[in-house]
Amino acid sequence: MSALPKPVEAFLAEPHLATLTTLRPDGSPHVVAVRFTWDGAAGLARVMTVASSRKVGNLLADPGGRAALCQVDGFRWVTLEGRAHVRTDAPRVAEGARRYAERYWSPPPDPPGRVVVEIAVDRVMNLNL
């Protein structure tokens, strides 16, 4: 993925919440509010969660399926779309937690079954940036 325009990168650096949309096995959307991180160099958005969550179940039912994150603040928004994968290996989960703590100034919860969802972003839409 090529570099995003500076105003989009700057907006993604602001620590807002976003919505994460995945598809249930029946094709209906599942939309939840999440905290996330953006790694522009790798083109990855990351969401910390637990393996028992509905979003993880949706992604495991369709490995490499698409997901969308949408960060909104007033009339400004950015949507990041791409193929999503659930990662359970310790180094990836730790990297997700490190980036989360950096962005939100506190570590993420550490419940049993913690995983990181990585979205390889290949489509970006935005407005008023």
PDB file of all heavy atoms in Angstrom, residues 3 16 19 21 27 30 42 44 50 59 64 66 71 73 76 96 98 103 109-110 112 114 119 127:
ATOM      1  N   ALA A   3       1.844   5.264   0.659  1.00  0.00           N
ATOM      2  CA  ALA A   3       1.676   6.142   1.816  1.00  0.00           C
ATOM      3  C   ALA A   3       0.362   6.917   1.709  1.00  0.00           C
ATOM      4  O   ALA A   3      -0.065   7.301   0.620  1.00  0.00           O
ATOM      5  CB  ALA A   3       2.857   7.092   1.913  1.00  0.00           C
ATOM      6  N   HIS A  16      -8.934   8.368  18.680  1.00  0.00           N
ATOM      7  CA  HIS A  16     -10.384   8.207  18.706  1.00  0.00           C
ATOM      8  C   HIS A  16     -10.759   6.723  18.715  1.00  0.00           C
ATOM      9  O   HIS A  16      -9.955   5.861  18.394  1.00  0.00           O
ATOM     10  CB  HIS A  16     -11.021   8.851  17.463  1.00  0.00           C
ATOM     11  CG  HIS A  16     -10.774  10.310  17.358  1.00  0.00           C
ATOM     12  ND1 HIS A  16     -11.348  11.220  18.203  1.00  0.00           N
ATOM     13  CD2 HIS A  16     -10.013  11.033  16.490  1.00  0.00           C
ATOM     14  CE1 HIS A  16     -10.954  12.438  17.873  1.00  0.00           C
ATOM     15  NE2 HIS A  16     -10.139  12.344  16.836  1.00  0.00           N
ATOM     16  N   THR A  19     -15.346   2.168  14.564  1.00  0.00           N
ATOM     17  CA  THR A  19     -16.205   0.997  14.453  1.00  0.00           C
ATOM     18  C   THR A  19     -15.458  -0.039  13.621  1.00  0.00           C
ATOM     19  O   THR A  19     -14.761   0.304  12.672  1.00  0.00           O
ATOM     20  CB  THR A  19     -17.560   1.310  13.794  1.00  0.00           C
ATOM     21  OG1 THR A  19     -17.344   1.842  12.496  1.00  0.00           O
ATOM     22  CG2 THR A  19     -18.370   2.266  14.648  1.00  0.00           C
ATOM     23  N   THR A  21     -16.243  -3.406  11.402  1.00  0.00           N
ATOM     24  CA  THR A  21     -17.295  -4.194  10.773  1.00  0.00           C
ATOM     25  C   THR A  21     -16.704  -5.489  10.221  1.00  0.00           C
ATOM     26  O   THR A  21     -15.732  -5.457   9.467  1.00  0.00           O
ATOM     27  CB  THR A  21     -17.966  -3.411   9.624  1.00  0.00           C
ATOM     28  OG1 THR A  21     -18.482  -2.183  10.142  1.00  0.00           O
ATOM     29  CG2 THR A  21     -19.095  -4.220   8.991  1.00  0.00           C
ATOM     30  N   GLY A  27     -23.775 -13.562   6.468  1.00  0.00           N
ATOM     31  CA  GLY A  27     -23.549 -12.411   5.594  1.00  0.00           C
ATOM     32  C   GLY A  27     -23.978 -11.084   6.174  1.00  0.00           C
ATOM     33  O   GLY A  27     -23.703 -10.033   5.587  1.00  0.00           O
ATOM     34  N   HIS A  30     -21.658  -7.242  11.400  1.00  0.00           N
ATOM     35  CA  HIS A  30     -21.487  -7.133  12.849  1.00  0.00           C
ATOM     36  C   HIS A  30     -20.611  -5.906  13.063  1.00  0.00           C
ATOM     37  O   HIS A  30     -19.464  -5.875  12.602  1.00  0.00           O
ATOM     38  CB  HIS A  30     -20.804  -8.395  13.388  1.00  0.00           C
ATOM     39  CG  HIS A  30     -20.465  -8.316  14.839  1.00  0.00           C
ATOM     40  ND1 HIS A  30     -21.405  -8.363  15.832  1.00  0.00           N
ATOM     41  CD2 HIS A  30     -19.265  -8.192  15.463  1.00  0.00           C
ATOM     42  CE1 HIS A  30     -20.812  -8.283  17.004  1.00  0.00           C
ATOM     43  NE2 HIS A  30     -19.512  -8.174  16.799  1.00  0.00           N
ATOM     44  N   ALA A  42       3.630  -0.561   7.729  1.00  0.00           N
ATOM     45  CA  ALA A  42       3.256  -1.934   7.373  1.00  0.00           C
ATOM     46  C   ALA A  42       1.902  -2.020   6.679  1.00  0.00           C
ATOM     47  O   ALA A  42       1.533  -3.075   6.172  1.00  0.00           O
ATOM     48  CB  ALA A  42       3.241  -2.803   8.637  1.00  0.00           C
ATOM     49  N   LEU A  44      -0.939  -1.852   8.246  1.00  0.00           N
ATOM     50  CA  LEU A  44      -1.756  -2.704   9.122  1.00  0.00           C
ATOM     51  C   LEU A  44      -2.519  -1.885  10.152  1.00  0.00           C
ATOM     52  O   LEU A  44      -1.949  -1.025  10.828  1.00  0.00           O
ATOM     53  CB  LEU A  44      -0.882  -3.685   9.903  1.00  0.00           C
ATOM     54  CG  LEU A  44      -0.310  -4.887   9.188  1.00  0.00           C
ATOM     55  CD1 LEU A  44       0.570  -5.684  10.150  1.00  0.00           C
ATOM     56  CD2 LEU A  44      -1.409  -5.762   8.627  1.00  0.00           C
ATOM     57  N   VAL A  50     -10.463 -10.604  22.275  1.00  0.00           N
ATOM     58  CA  VAL A  50     -10.329 -11.962  22.812  1.00  0.00           C
ATOM     59  C   VAL A  50     -10.869 -12.973  21.812  1.00  0.00           C
ATOM     60  O   VAL A  50     -11.743 -12.661  20.998  1.00  0.00           O
ATOM     61  CB  VAL A  50     -11.052 -12.128  24.173  1.00  0.00           C
ATOM     62  CG1 VAL A  50     -10.362 -11.311  25.254  1.00  0.00           C
ATOM     63  CG2 VAL A  50     -12.507 -11.764  24.064  1.00  0.00           C
ATOM     64  N   LEU A  59     -14.339 -13.754  11.745  1.00  0.00           N
ATOM     65  CA  LEU A  59     -13.114 -13.819  10.938  1.00  0.00           C
ATOM     66  C   LEU A  59     -12.592 -15.253  10.818  1.00  0.00           C
ATOM     67  O   LEU A  59     -12.073 -15.634   9.762  1.00  0.00           O
ATOM     68  CB  LEU A  59     -12.052 -12.895  11.517  1.00  0.00           C
ATOM     69  CG  LEU A  59     -12.408 -11.404  11.459  1.00  0.00           C
ATOM     70  CD1 LEU A  59     -11.403 -10.578  12.236  1.00  0.00           C
ATOM     71  CD2 LEU A  59     -12.515 -10.932  10.016  1.00  0.00           C
ATOM     72  N   GLY A  64      -9.133 -14.686   6.263  1.00  0.00           N
ATOM     73  CA  GLY A  64      -8.724 -13.724   5.239  1.00  0.00           C
ATOM     74  C   GLY A  64      -9.879 -12.914   4.700  1.00  0.00           C
ATOM     75  O   GLY A  64      -9.720 -12.183   3.721  1.00  0.00           O
ATOM     76  N   ARG A  66     -12.809  -9.938   4.618  1.00  0.00           N
ATOM     77  CA  ARG A  66     -12.624  -8.494   4.690  1.00  0.00           C
ATOM     78  C   ARG A  66     -13.237  -7.919   5.967  1.00  0.00           C
ATOM     79  O   ARG A  66     -14.207  -8.437   6.502  1.00  0.00           O
ATOM     80  CB  ARG A  66     -13.197  -7.828   3.460  1.00  0.00           C
ATOM     81  CG  ARG A  66     -12.410  -8.297   2.215  1.00  0.00           C
ATOM     82  CD  ARG A  66     -12.724  -7.511   0.991  1.00  0.00           C
ATOM     83  NE  ARG A  66     -12.372  -6.109   1.058  1.00  0.00           N
ATOM     84  CZ  ARG A  66     -11.148  -5.601   0.871  1.00  0.00           C
ATOM     85  NH1 ARG A  66     -10.129  -6.403   0.618  1.00  0.00           N
ATOM     86  NH2 ARG A  66     -10.939  -4.317   0.922  1.00  0.00           N
ATOM     87  N   GLN A  71     -13.019   5.437  11.617  1.00  0.00           N
ATOM     88  CA  GLN A  71     -12.805   6.416  12.681  1.00  0.00           C
ATOM     89  C   GLN A  71     -13.527   7.701  12.287  1.00  0.00           C
ATOM     90  O   GLN A  71     -13.340   8.200  11.178  1.00  0.00           O
ATOM     91  CB  GLN A  71     -11.314   6.683  12.869  1.00  0.00           C
ATOM     92  CG  GLN A  71     -11.036   7.783  13.896  1.00  0.00           C
ATOM     93  CD  GLN A  71      -9.571   7.952  14.191  1.00  0.00           C
ATOM     94  OE1 GLN A  71      -8.988   7.126  14.861  1.00  0.00           O
ATOM     95  NE2 GLN A  71      -8.977   9.018  13.692  1.00  0.00           N
ATOM     96  N   ASP A  73     -14.794  11.691  13.640  1.00  0.00           N
ATOM     97  CA  ASP A  73     -14.760  12.802  14.592  1.00  0.00           C
ATOM     98  C   ASP A  73     -15.493  13.964  13.937  1.00  0.00           C
ATOM     99  O   ASP A  73     -14.972  14.585  13.007  1.00  0.00           O
ATOM    100  CB  ASP A  73     -13.325  13.190  14.941  1.00  0.00           C
ATOM    101  CG  ASP A  73     -13.286  14.330  15.951  1.00  0.00           C
ATOM    102  OD1 ASP A  73     -14.066  14.302  16.928  1.00  0.00           O
ATOM    103  OD2 ASP A  73     -12.487  15.268  15.751  1.00  0.00           O
ATOM    104  N   ARG A  76     -15.401  14.656  10.073  1.00  0.00           N
ATOM    105  CA  ARG A  76     -14.203  14.031   9.492  1.00  0.00           C
ATOM    106  C   ARG A  76     -14.284  12.538   9.734  1.00  0.00           C
ATOM    107  O   ARG A  76     -14.662  12.106  10.813  1.00  0.00           O
ATOM    108  CB  ARG A  76     -12.925  14.556  10.160  1.00  0.00           C
ATOM    109  CG  ARG A  76     -12.745  16.037  10.127  1.00  0.00           C
ATOM    110  CD  ARG A  76     -11.474  16.471  10.861  1.00  0.00           C
ATOM    111  NE  ARG A  76     -11.471  16.004  12.252  1.00  0.00           N
ATOM    112  CZ  ARG A  76     -10.377  15.769  12.967  1.00  0.00           C
ATOM    113  NH1 ARG A  76      -9.175  15.938  12.446  1.00  0.00           N
ATOM    114  NH2 ARG A  76     -10.462  15.355  14.213  1.00  0.00           N
ATOM    115  N   GLY A  96       0.856  -5.719  19.114  1.00  0.00           N
ATOM    116  CA  GLY A  96      -0.436  -5.043  19.156  1.00  0.00           C
ATOM    117  C   GLY A  96      -0.645  -4.324  20.480  1.00  0.00           C
ATOM    118  O   GLY A  96      -1.107  -3.178  20.514  1.00  0.00           O
ATOM    119  N   ARG A  98       1.698  -3.293  22.584  1.00  0.00           N
ATOM    120  CA  ARG A  98       2.651  -2.179  22.686  1.00  0.00           C
ATOM    121  C   ARG A  98       2.116  -0.954  21.964  1.00  0.00           C
ATOM    122  O   ARG A  98       2.125   0.160  22.486  1.00  0.00           O
ATOM    123  CB  ARG A  98       4.008  -2.589  22.110  1.00  0.00           C
ATOM    124  CG  ARG A  98       5.089  -1.486  22.241  1.00  0.00           C
ATOM    125  CD  ARG A  98       6.326  -1.824  21.433  1.00  0.00           C
ATOM    126  NE  ARG A  98       6.123  -1.713  20.011  1.00  0.00           N
ATOM    127  CZ  ARG A  98       6.053  -0.550  19.330  1.00  0.00           C
ATOM    128  NH1 ARG A  98       6.125   0.608  19.966  1.00  0.00           N
ATOM    129  NH2 ARG A  98       5.877  -0.557  18.026  1.00  0.00           N
ATOM    130  N   ARG A 103      -0.611   4.460  21.832  1.00  0.00           N
ATOM    131  CA  ARG A 103      -1.677   5.305  21.286  1.00  0.00           C
ATOM    132  C   ARG A 103      -2.643   5.812  22.357  1.00  0.00           C
ATOM    133  O   ARG A 103      -3.061   6.968  22.339  1.00  0.00           O
ATOM    134  CB  ARG A 103      -2.454   4.527  20.223  1.00  0.00           C
ATOM    135  CG  ARG A 103      -3.636   5.289  19.630  1.00  0.00           C
ATOM    136  CD  ARG A 103      -4.263   4.462  18.522  1.00  0.00           C
ATOM    137  NE  ARG A 103      -5.533   4.956  18.057  1.00  0.00           N
ATOM    138  CZ  ARG A 103      -5.697   5.791  17.028  1.00  0.00           C
ATOM    139  NH1 ARG A 103      -4.657   6.246  16.366  1.00  0.00           N
ATOM    140  NH2 ARG A 103      -6.902   6.169  16.671  1.00  0.00           N
ATOM    141  N   PRO A 109      -6.499  -4.173  28.122  1.00  0.00           N
ATOM    142  CA  PRO A 109      -6.832  -5.269  29.043  1.00  0.00           C
ATOM    143  C   PRO A 109      -6.074  -6.532  28.637  1.00  0.00           C
ATOM    144  O   PRO A 109      -5.726  -6.709  27.470  1.00  0.00           O
ATOM    145  CB  PRO A 109      -8.347  -5.449  28.843  1.00  0.00           C
ATOM    146  CG  PRO A 109      -8.817  -4.131  28.299  1.00  0.00           C
ATOM    147  CD  PRO A 109      -7.677  -3.597  27.474  1.00  0.00           C
ATOM    148  N   ASP A 110      -5.815  -7.397  29.605  1.00  0.00           N
ATOM    149  CA  ASP A 110      -5.071  -8.629  29.343  1.00  0.00           C
ATOM    150  C   ASP A 110      -5.862  -9.845  29.821  1.00  0.00           C
ATOM    151  O   ASP A 110      -5.415 -10.595  30.678  1.00  0.00           O
ATOM    152  CB  ASP A 110      -3.704  -8.564  30.023  1.00  0.00           C
ATOM    153  CG  ASP A 110      -2.796  -9.704  29.609  1.00  0.00           C
ATOM    154  OD1 ASP A 110      -3.117 -10.419  28.633  1.00  0.00           O
ATOM    155  OD2 ASP A 110      -1.764  -9.902  30.276  1.00  0.00           O
ATOM    156  N   PRO A 112      -7.723 -13.634  29.608  1.00  0.00           N
ATOM    157  CA  PRO A 112      -7.348 -14.906  28.980  1.00  0.00           C
ATOM    158  C   PRO A 112      -7.874 -14.937  27.537  1.00  0.00           C
ATOM    159  O   PRO A 112      -8.963 -14.428  27.253  1.00  0.00           O
ATOM    160  CB  PRO A 112      -8.059 -15.962  29.833  1.00  0.00           C
ATOM    161  CG  PRO A 112      -8.338 -15.280  31.140  1.00  0.00           C
ATOM    162  CD  PRO A 112      -8.529 -13.827  30.819  1.00  0.00           C
ATOM    163  N   ARG A 114      -6.456 -13.456  24.909  1.00  0.00           N
ATOM    164  CA  ARG A 114      -6.230 -12.215  24.159  1.00  0.00           C
ATOM    165  C   ARG A 114      -5.569 -12.523  22.814  1.00  0.00           C
ATOM    166  O   ARG A 114      -4.647 -13.342  22.726  1.00  0.00           O
ATOM    167  CB  ARG A 114      -5.355 -11.257  24.964  1.00  0.00           C
ATOM    168  CG  ARG A 114      -5.151  -9.919  24.266  1.00  0.00           C
ATOM    169  CD  ARG A 114      -4.604  -8.873  25.195  1.00  0.00           C
ATOM    170  NE  ARG A 114      -3.189  -9.085  25.437  1.00  0.00           N
ATOM    171  CZ  ARG A 114      -2.398  -8.188  26.014  1.00  0.00           C
ATOM    172  NH1 ARG A 114      -2.890  -7.041  26.438  1.00  0.00           N
ATOM    173  NH2 ARG A 114      -1.133  -8.450  26.210  1.00  0.00           N
ATOM    174  N   ILE A 119      -5.534  -6.135  10.159  1.00  0.00           N
ATOM    175  CA  ILE A 119      -6.200  -5.849   8.894  1.00  0.00           C
ATOM    176  C   ILE A 119      -5.161  -5.292   7.942  1.00  0.00           C
ATOM    177  O   ILE A 119      -4.575  -4.236   8.203  1.00  0.00           O
ATOM    178  CB  ILE A 119      -7.351  -4.841   9.079  1.00  0.00           C
ATOM    179  CG1 ILE A 119      -8.361  -5.381  10.087  1.00  0.00           C
ATOM    180  CG2 ILE A 119      -8.023  -4.544   7.732  1.00  0.00           C
ATOM    181  CD1 ILE A 119      -9.367  -4.352  10.565  1.00  0.00           C
ATOM    182  N   LEU A 127     -13.219  11.672   4.283  1.00  0.00           N
ATOM    183  CA  LEU A 127     -13.958  12.883   3.982  1.00  0.00           C
ATOM    184  C   LEU A 127     -13.496  13.997   4.915  1.00  0.00           C
ATOM    185  O   LEU A 127     -13.257  13.761   6.094  1.00  0.00           O
ATOM    186  CB  LEU A 127     -15.473  12.659   4.154  1.00  0.00           C
ATOM    187  CG  LEU A 127     -16.368  13.835   3.786  1.00  0.00           C
ATOM    188  CD1 LEU A 127     -16.292  14.115   2.277  1.00  0.00           C
ATOM    189  CD2 LEU A 127     -17.798  13.546   4.203  1.00  0.00           C
TER     190      LEU A 127
END
